[in-house]
Structures are given as structure tokens and as C-alpha cells.
Amino acid sequence: MYEKTRTIEWENGIVVTIDQAKLPFETVILEMKSCKEVAEAIKSMKIRGAPLLGAAAAFALALTAYHSRAGNKEQLVKELESAAEILKNTRPTAVNLFWAIERILKGAKNFSGNVNALTAFIVSEAQKIADEDAAANRRIGKYGAELIHDGDTILTHCNAGALATVEYGTALGVIRAAWEQGKMIRVIATETRPKLQGARLTAYELVRDGIGVTLITDNMVGYVMQKGLVNEVVVGADRIVKDAVINKIGTFTVAVLAKEHDIPFYVAAPKSTFDLKITSEDVIIENRSPKEVTHIGSIRVAAEGVKVLNSAFDITPLKYVTAIICESGILYKEDFDKFKA
Ligand code: MRU
């Protein structure tokens, strides 16, 4: 079991996190000393989940600054820009990664002070991004718990838990907060093919916390809703744009089914996930390796030569979303209209 409260931490020039690709059976701690190592961990999904990607990118830039031998501020800014390019080429869909990089680069460019002071600033800014995410998740939990009633069963998709964030979680933060308030709730977690974040990570987090969880295959969502087994859906987000929520592949299917069955569909996400300058047409949806679909573990299950489309995220138009829970409160349809302004 992973006992640290935070999924990612800065420890004197080392970024410490857990290898999520190995969970739930192996607890492997990663200690990273360079931006390249962090970028590699993001690419291979040892580090994943939108808010965690933001914090990891920020700490990766902090590593660049901390271990740099740059003799002046201008040189350090150049090194940070190169590191930022490496990070931006890891995963394209979650906006938090780009948001954190831009925040740090902007701060660095506007910084007046010498190179040592700039390094200290970058490290503290990265730490601030992590602290803010932890605080945002607690607030999301507090607001979101108001929507959950004693006796409810909540369906969640993928993993929007402590592991996907710095601490506590977004969708699982809402569930945790309701549970901490003493509400007797249960969770239905979808397995989330092909990377199984639901089976491997959400089930792990909830079992660890003693919150009742039932794992289902992704294609059971319609059936459990039809049988009246779900009171509400709470999911996270990788990017919230003017007209839609972008989240793990399968989210759109869950949302359409929820609407069909009059089940509230809630999205829990910090404001670092909002990207209200663009629409869903502008979002790059990551396509991943065919091997994630043709193989289960190392065993091939599909015929050689078959074509594969393995899109990692989908687009849920806002008309399917009952409310978005963020650290400032709960946003409803009338608030979504303002996104378009
Ligand atoms: O591919 P992943 O595992 O990084 O995708 C994660 C998700 O889609 C989560 O639901 C989303 O990032 C919200 S995490 C709080």
C-alpha cells in the first residue's frame, strides 16, 4: 500500500512519486532528478491524471532550474524553454500540463532578480501549484458532497482520485468528502479499458479507504443504470472547453446513458482544467498504441493484421452535464452559457 498523503512531492532536488503503471500489485517509488525522466514517466503513464500532469510538469521545470549550471537568468530561461518543449510533447489532451508550463515560464520571464533567486522562485512556484491543487480538491470535495445523499450509489469512470491529482482527488474527492460526512454511500467503478485505471487505481484507492466499491466492465454501464443501481455519476475532466468536457474515453457513452435514465451527471475538476478560450474542435485527442487494444498484458488477443483505433479521450457536449464542481463552487447550465462569451 502507498502510504504517503501526496502523490507527488519535491524533496531537495528530487521529485518523488509512485509508479502508477505498476499498481495495484507493486508499490514502486520513482525518484526523478531530471525533466527528461519526468517526461518519460508521463509518456509511459507512470504519472497520469490531468491535475497530476500539471504538478509533475511544474516540478520537472523546477528540476531543470535546480540542477542547471546556467550563469545568468537569460540562459536559465532558455533551458526552461527547451525543457518545456520536451514536456509539451508528452501527452496532448489534458490542459493542466500546458497551463502549469505556461504559468512557470511566464513567471520566469517576468522575474527580476539573479539566476539563484530565479531558481528559488521556480521551485516555490511549482510547490505552490501542487499545494493549490491539494487545496482545490478539498474544496471540490466539500461542494460536491452536497450533491450526494445518504444511501446513494455513485458511478465513476477512469480514475479521478488522489492518484490522478496531488492529493484527495476530484471525482473521488467528492466521494471521499461525502463518506467523511458519514453518508453511507457505495461506488460503482468502471474498469476503463484499455489501461484499466478504474480496475487498477480507483478500486485500489476505494478499497484502501474502506469505501464500498463494485467493479464493472465498461459495457455494463447501461445495464446497471437500467436496473436502477446508480443515483448519480461523478467523473473528472482532462479539459473543459467552451462547449464540452473532454475526459477518458467512454465518458461520453456514460453521459448519454445517464441522460437517458434521468441520472445526474457531474464533472469534478479544478479551474486549472478549464480552457475556455477554445472549443472541442480545437482539442487534440491523444491516440495511443494499438498494442494497448490488441494485447491484454503481454498476451495478444486480436488477430494479427487488424487495424486499431485507440483514442484515449472523448468529448461530452455540455448538454449532457448536470453540473461542474470546481473549487469556487457548483456551476450549472446557466453558468455554462457564460463559457461561450
Ligand atoms: O489517461 P489518463 O489516465 O491520464 O486519463 C485520466 C482521466 O481521464 C481522468 O479522468 C482525468 O484526468 C481526471 S483526473 C482528476
Side-chain angles (χ1 to χ4, degrees):
M1 282 276 169
Y2 187 59
E3 300 299 348
K4 278 180 187 277
T5 316
R6 290 211 167 177
T7 308
I8 196 160
E9 276 173 331
W10 174 266
E11 287 177 10
N12 303 318
I14 299 173
V15 174
V16 183
T17 190
I18 185 163
D19 182 346
Q20 297 195 35
K22 295 261 176 18
L23 284 173
F25 298 116
E26 276 180 77
T27 304
V28 176
I29 303 300
L30 300 176
E31 296 193 345
M32 296 165 292
K33 294 196 183 98
S34 72
C35 173
K36 273 196 180 142
E37 282 175 89
V38 177
E40 158 50 31
I42 292 174
K43 263 194 168 160
S44 56
M45 292 181 68
K46 292 173 181 158
I47 295 174
R48 39 70 49 199
L52 187 65
L53 294 181
F59 281 134
L61 293 178
L63 286 175
T64 304
Y66 191 89
H67 296 289
S68 165
R69 294 185 179 182
N72 57 51
K73 189 189 132 186
E74 289 67 34
Q75 202 183 331
L76 180 53
V77 169
K78 271 197 186 137
E79 288 177 17
L80 288 168
E81 283 172 334
S82 312
E85 281 313 302
I86 296 171
L87 292 165
K88 284 182 188 173
N89 283 307
T90 53
R91 299 192 72 195
T93 306
V95 72
N96 310 60
L97 179 131
F98 301 90
W99 165 83
I101 292 169
E102 286 321 312
R103 175 166 157 180
I104 297 229
L105 281 186
K106 193 170 165 205
K109 284 178 195 157
N110 292 336
F111 188 81
S112 50
N114 67 20
V115 66
N116 293 337
L118 176 56
T119 298
F121 165 77
I122 289 162
V123 172
S124 87
E125 195 64 6
Q127 188 61 55
K128 229 176 175 184
I129 286 174
D131 294 344
E132 284 171 12
D133 184 61
N137 292 334
R138 298 278 167 178
R139 292 180 69 86
I140 288 169
K142 179 176 143 304
Y143 288 122
E146 292 168 19
L147 302 167
I148 310 291
H149 314 98
D150 195 38
D152 280 357
T153 297
I154 304 123
L155 186 140
T156 191
H157 183 58
C158 192
N159 172 266
L163 289 164
T165 63
V166 171
E167 157 182 333
Y168 205 62
T170 54
L172 290 196
V174 170
I175 289 164
R176 283 199 168 97
W179 178 256
E180 284 162 12
Q181 288 173 0
K183 292 177 184 162
M184 292 312 293
I185 52 172
R186 283 199 62 82
V187 178
I188 293 181
T190 53
E191 61 176 349
T192 322
R193 279 278 293 153
K195 296 294 283 181
L196 301 175
Q197 291 93 330
R200 293 190 305 102
L201 307 175
T202 297
Y204 166 81
E205 284 197 37
L206 293 173
V207 167
R208 185 185 56 181
D209 286 7
I211 303 175
V213 54
T214 303
L215 183 64
I216 61 168
T217 55
D218 298 325
N219 37 18
M220 276 185 71
V221 171
Y223 177 72
V224 292
M225 287 185 178
Q226 193 180 51
K227 285 285 169 193
L229 301 178
V230 179
N231 299 101
E232 52 266 314
V233 175
V234 188
V235 295
D238 287 84
R239 202 183 277 243
I240 296 172
V241 293
K242 279 175 192 269
D243 57 336
V245 169
I246 319 299
N247 192 47
K248 178 54 55 196
I249 193 77
T251 302
F252 177 44
T253 317
V254 174
V256 173
L257 284 164
K259 199 172 179 72
E260 172 67 21
H261 293 92
D262 282 327
I263 296 168
F265 181 89
Y266 299 123
V267 175
K271 286 193 276 187
S272 55
T273 304
F274 287 52
D275 188 9
L276 301 178
K277 295 180 300 300
I278 63 167
T279 69
S280 49
E281 283 186 11
D282 306 315
V283 178
I284 301 174
I285 299 288
E286 176 184 12
N287 283 314
R288 295 185 59 85
S289 163
K291 204 171 169 207
E292 291 179 357
V293 181
T294 54
H295 288 65
I296 293 182
S298 56
I299 299 168
R300 187 168 186 113
V301 293
E304 294 280 356
V306 69
K307 281 200 182 110
V308 172
L309 177 62
N310 183 19
S311 304
F313 301 94
D314 64 19
I315 299 163
T316 300
L318 288 176
K319 72 170 182 178
Y320 293 98
V321 179
T322 312
I324 297 174
I325 309 151
C326 72
E327 65 269 45
S328 305
I330 304 175
L331 309 178
Y332 291 97
K333 299 272 182 211
E334 55 275 22
D335 304 298
F336 303 168
D337 291 339
K338 295 182 200 140
F339 291 179
K340 300 206 176 89

